[in-house]
Amino acid sequence: DAKTTQPNSMESNEEEPVHLPCNHSTISGTDYIHWYRQLPSQGPEYVIHGLTSNVNNRMASLAIAEDRKSSTLILHRATLRDAAVYYCILREGSGAGSYQLTFGKGTKLSVIP
Amino acid sequence: SQTIHQWPATLVQPVGSPLSLECTVEGTSNPNLYWYRQAAGRGLQLLFYSVGIGQISSEVPQNLSASRPQDRQFILSSKKLLLSDSGFYLCAWSVTAGTGGGYTFGSGTRLTVV
């Protein structure tokens, strides 16, 4: 499995942008970059995913480095409801590995009012 | 729109008792289905996945089993629970692999084996 590296924790002030980094130096050409978040006692929630180009949706933006060895999840205005553990995961584009999402420890984001 | 239902939300079972957790998906056909487990203070671990009716792949050997009797129904079972089976069990679905699309998780079942 290709692996990702994330900081254990980050803090942000409410209503400020948050940039959550992820390193994935061993990413292969067909791996998709996924982000999920998990609130306490809830299942993970899909946030965004991308392959090569930057992506935007209603929840966040995903900035992917040109060499694809790192990416950044951007929350444009953090709210208290964004406090969660954020997981950066590589999903293989095909083959048996494409059925797996391997969750690491993620980044615990705290939002300060 | 697609929805995923998982029940029960919480469950307390004695050691040695059987287990049956059910998950159903609505609004899509031929989904990939998954069972994950999250032990206390640990990350999510993939237990089983299924790409079609009757097709089950096991990722972790243990005393749990999974079945997919219908296209949008996924069941996690055990004949005799162990204390180590306690955890947060999550069902998830995704579209066919190859599109890189996201997973949708259910709300989970918190199982405590006593």
Side-chain angles (χ1 to χ4, degrees), chain A residues 32 34 36 38 40-46 49 87 91-96 98-105, chain B residues 32 34 36 38 43-44 46 49 51 59 88 90 94-103 105-108 110:
Chain A
Y32 288 82
H34 282 235
Y36 292 78
Q38 187 175 21
S41 299
Q42 294 188 25
E45 177 186 26
Y46 166 80
H49 81 280
Y87 297 97
R91 181 184 182 186
E92 296 181 25
S94 63
S98 63
Y99 299 108
Q100 289 216 30
L101 283 184
T102 301
F103 286 79
K105 295 184 177 180
Chain B
N32 294 332
Y34 310 85
Y36 279 82
Q38 188 171 33
L44 280 85
L46 177 64
Y49 69 88
V51 301
E59 293 298 311
F88 191 40
L90 290 151
S94 73
V95 297
T96 304
T99 64
Y103 284 31
F105 285 82
S107 55
R110 190 161 301 281

Side-chain angles (χ1 to χ4, degrees), chain A residues 41, chain B residues 6-12 21 87-89 107-112:
Chain A
S41 299
Chain B
Q6 190 180 342
W7 67 94
T10 60
L11 191 59
V12 180
L21 302 180
F88 191 40
Y89 288 82
S107 55
T109 295
R110 190 161 301 281
L111 171 66
T112 303

Side-chain angles (χ1 to χ4, degrees), chain A residues 13-67:
Chain A
N13 294 318
E14 195 176 9
E15 298 189 2
E16 290 188 356
V18 183
H19 290 235
L20 296 165
C22 181
N23 289 319
H24 28 80
S25 59
T26 59
I27 191 172
S28 74
T30 56
D31 287 341
Y32 288 82
I33 301 161
H34 282 235
W35 283 84
Y36 292 78
R37 69 181 184 182
Q38 187 175 21
L39 279 67
S41 299
Q42 294 188 25
E45 177 186 26
Y46 166 80
V47 178
I48 201 167
H49 81 280
L51 184 61
T52 56
S53 303
N54 295 343
V55 183
N56 300 295
N57 66 21
R58 63 175 180 81
M59 293 181 68
S61 295
L62 175 60
I64 301 173
E66 195 169 334
D67 64 6

Side-chain angles (χ1 to χ4, degrees), chain A residues 74-96:
Chain A
I74 303 166
L75 306 179
H76 297 287
R77 287 185 66 201
T79 69
L80 296 179
R81 290 181 300 174
D82 292 323
V85 178
Y86 286 79
Y87 297 97
C88 169
I89 302 168
L90 300 183
R91 181 184 182 186
E92 296 181 25
S94 63

